[in-house]
């Protein structure tokens, strides 16, 4: 397919790489930041622009890989009634695009994407569309870059996004807090890497509820009190420790 990518951030870059590798033709990259648009276009072997009036008009699909709050502003500028326009946002309805095109939808990558990372991870693709023909078009496009393609409406996609925030953003924040604690206490955080990797790998075999371990599960109050004592100098981390300990114990 011929594709125009609107955006230059993590999602635009990683999807652009995947689509190009799958044999699709990236016709143009649009970006407000001229340098970022030019750099991404160079990588994808195409041209770039930051002017709406010169956006390529004959592509098959236009992918809006921009922030959630920027989608409505893009729609005001990108009027292509006979083309397919999709956005990549989990928490925004597909209907935000209905005034820009007759064929529209969602092309949401359920993955944490960082353009600086050389490894391109597996990306489950969540799609939705205004009509059956567009849904088939997006299913083929998504299937060219992913082995997992799921149709999900606005409500289901929002629920998936919430679960993703808990699994990824919240867990990564705990890693960050643990790393900060280790640094301040003179502990090598890298010693925890094997534990982190094993915990994640175990999820492929058993439910998280079945693999839970630790003092909270055992209601080991002696150990818990020792931990809380160590956290007296870290009130934010202590509060999180207490909340999660209570949650683990109550959900045994």
């Amino acid at each position: 397919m011929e594709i125009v990518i609107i955006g230059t951030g993590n999602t635009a870059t990683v999807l652009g790489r995947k689509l190009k590798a799958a044999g699709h033709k990236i016709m143009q990259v649009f970006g407000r930041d001229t340098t970022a648009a030019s750099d991404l276009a160079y990588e994808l072997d195409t041209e770039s622009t930051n002017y709406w009036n010169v956006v390529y008009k004959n592509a098959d699909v236009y992918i809006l890989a921009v922030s959630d709050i920027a989608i409505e502003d893009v729609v005001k500028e990108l009027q292509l009634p006979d083309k397919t326009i999709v956005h990549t946002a989990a928490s925004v309805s597909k209907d935000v695009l209905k005034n820009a095109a007759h064929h529209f939808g969602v092309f949401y990558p359920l993955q944490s994407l960082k353009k600086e990372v050389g490894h391109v991870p597996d990306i489950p693709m969540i799609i939705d569309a205004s009509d059956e023909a567009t849904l088939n078009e997006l299913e083929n496009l998504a299937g060219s870059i992913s082995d997992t393609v799921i149709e999900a409406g606005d409500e289901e996609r929002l629920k998936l996004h919430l679960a993703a925030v808990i699994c990824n953003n919240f867990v990564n924040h705990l890693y960050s807090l643990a790393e900060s604690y280790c640094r301040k206490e003179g502990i090598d955080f890298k010693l925890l890497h094997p534990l982190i990797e094993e915990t994640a790998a175990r999820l492929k075999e058993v439910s998280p509820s079945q693999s839970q371990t630790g003092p909270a599960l055992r209601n080991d109050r002696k150990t818990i009190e020792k931990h809380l004592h160590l956290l007296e100098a870290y009130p934010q981390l202590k509060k999180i420790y207490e909340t999660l300990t209570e949650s683990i114990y109550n959900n045994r």
Side-chain angles (χ1 to χ4, degrees):
M1 293 184 185
E2 293 188 347
I3 298 167
V4 169
I5 296 177
I6 311 296
T8 59
N10 292 315
T11 300
T13 300
V14 177
L15 284 182
R17 290 169 181 166
K18 295 277 282 186
L19 291 164
K20 183 176 184 294
H24 299 287
K25 177 66 175 177
I26 310 302
M27 304 304 296
Q28 192 179 56
V29 171
F30 176 94
R32 291 175 297 179
D33 184 321
T34 304
T35 300
S38 178
D39 289 346
L40 180 55
Y42 179 79
E43 180 179 351
L44 300 179
D45 191 26
T46 188
E47 63 179 36
S48 67
T49 184
N50 62 339
Y51 295 103
W52 288 113
N53 62 344
V54 294
V55 168
Y56 182 75
K57 298 298 193 297
N58 295 312
D60 299 305
V61 177
Y62 293 76
I63 299 178
L64 277 56
V66 298
S67 66
D68 294 9
I69 60 174
I71 294 175
E72 290 189 15
D73 290 335
V74 173
V75 168
K76 294 174 184 177
E77 302 288 349
L78 195 66
Q79 295 293 310
L80 298 166
D82 298 325
K83 300 299 180 180
T84 297
I85 301 179
V86 299
H87 69 64
T88 60
S91 57
V92 178
S93 172
K94 66 179 181 294
D95 290 334
V96 72
L97 303 173
K98 65 183 180 181
N99 292 326
H102 300 312
H103 305 286
F104 55 90
V106 176
F107 198 70
Y108 165 50
L110 182 56
Q111 183 56 272
S112 176
L113 304 177
K114 294 291 287 183
K115 61 184 177 181
E116 296 85 2
V117 178
H119 167 68
V120 179
D122 294 331
I123 305 176
M125 293 300 304
I126 314 302
I127 61 171
D128 193 14
S130 56
D131 56 87
E132 194 66 30
T134 305
L135 185 65
N136 290 336
E137 182 181 27
L138 295 183
E139 186 173 21
N140 290 332
L141 183 62
S144 70
I145 62 172
S146 174
D147 293 330
T148 305
V149 180
I150 303 295
E151 178 188 357
D154 292 341
E155 184 176 0
E156 184 179 359
R157 196 171 63 254
L158 181 59
K159 290 176 180 178
L160 274 172
H161 187 242
L162 170 58
V165 166
I166 295 170
C167 289
N168 178 249
N169 304 132
F170 287 4
V171 171
N172 190 72
H173 181 60
L174 290 176
Y175 293 156
S176 178
L177 292 175
E179 181 185 44
S180 176
Y181 171 79
C182 287
R183 183 173 60 252
K184 292 174 181 177
E185 295 296 330
I187 301 169
D188 186 359
F189 179 73
K190 291 181 180 179
L191 290 173
L192 298 173
H193 286 183
L195 174 64
I196 293 169
E197 292 168 359
E198 172 60 23
T199 302
R202 195 179 295 165
L203 297 178
K204 296 182 179 180
E205 305 294 332
V206 296
S207 164
S209 62
Q210 294 177 312
S211 63
Q212 186 70 55
T213 61
L217 185 73
R218 303 188 302 269
N219 195 28
D220 181 353
R221 299 307 309 178
K222 188 173 182 179
T223 298
I224 291 170
E225 290 304 323
K226 288 180 179 179
H227 288 171
L228 291 174
H229 178 71
L230 288 174
L231 291 174
E232 288 295 339
Y234 304 91
Q236 180 190 18
L237 189 54
K238 181 181 179 182
K239 182 178 180 180
I240 292 172
Y241 183 101
E242 290 175 323
T243 299
L244 291 178
T245 294
E246 180 181 4
S247 180
I248 291 170
Y249 179 75
N250 290 336
N251 286 278
R252 292 178 301 170

